[in-house]
């Protein structure tokens, strides 16, 4: 993500976005066990559920066409 976003956003902006997502409980951040400099970002169960609901809604609308 950082490599892609760094072209259009500063590190501070990316950090603020991630902090906001974490505060909204949409992601979790953890340090890598093998390299403490690496931060692993994972979606929360809430994010996965909302994504699945969105996909189902999208599929339903496509079937109505």
């Amino acid at each position: 993500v950082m490599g892609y976003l760094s072209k259009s956003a500063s590190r501070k902006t990316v950090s603020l976005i991630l902090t906001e997502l974490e505060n909204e409980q949409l992601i979790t951040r953890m340090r890598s066990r093998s390299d403490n400099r690496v931060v692993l970002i994972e979606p929360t169960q809430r994010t996965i559920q909302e994504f699945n609901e969105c996909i189902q809604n999208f599929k339903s609308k496509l079937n109505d066409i």
Side-chain angles (χ1 to χ4, degrees):
V1 172
M2 281 296 286
Y4 178 75
L5 288 177
S6 65
K7 294 178 183 177
S8 59
S10 68
R11 290 179 81 95
K12 182 177 180 179
T13 300
V14 172
S15 180
L16 289 172
I17 291 168
L18 292 175
T19 298
E20 186 174 332
L21 290 171
E22 193 171 34
N23 290 342
E24 293 293 324
Q25 298 178 344
L26 297 173
I27 64 166
T28 57
R29 288 193 274 188
M30 297 180 296
R31 292 278 179 194
S32 170
R33 290 181 183 170
S34 60
D35 186 346
N36 196 38
R37 299 169 296 173
V38 175
V39 177
L40 304 172
I41 300 167
E42 295 182 355
T44 61
Q45 193 60 38
R46 175 182 165 197
T47 300
I48 294 168
Q49 181 180 349
E50 287 182 14
F51 177 80
N52 287 334
E53 289 171 5
C54 180
I55 292 298
Q56 291 304 320
N57 187 27
F58 181 70
K59 284 181 180 179
S60 176
K61 288 184 179 186
L62 282 177
N63 288 335
D64 291 342
I65 295 177

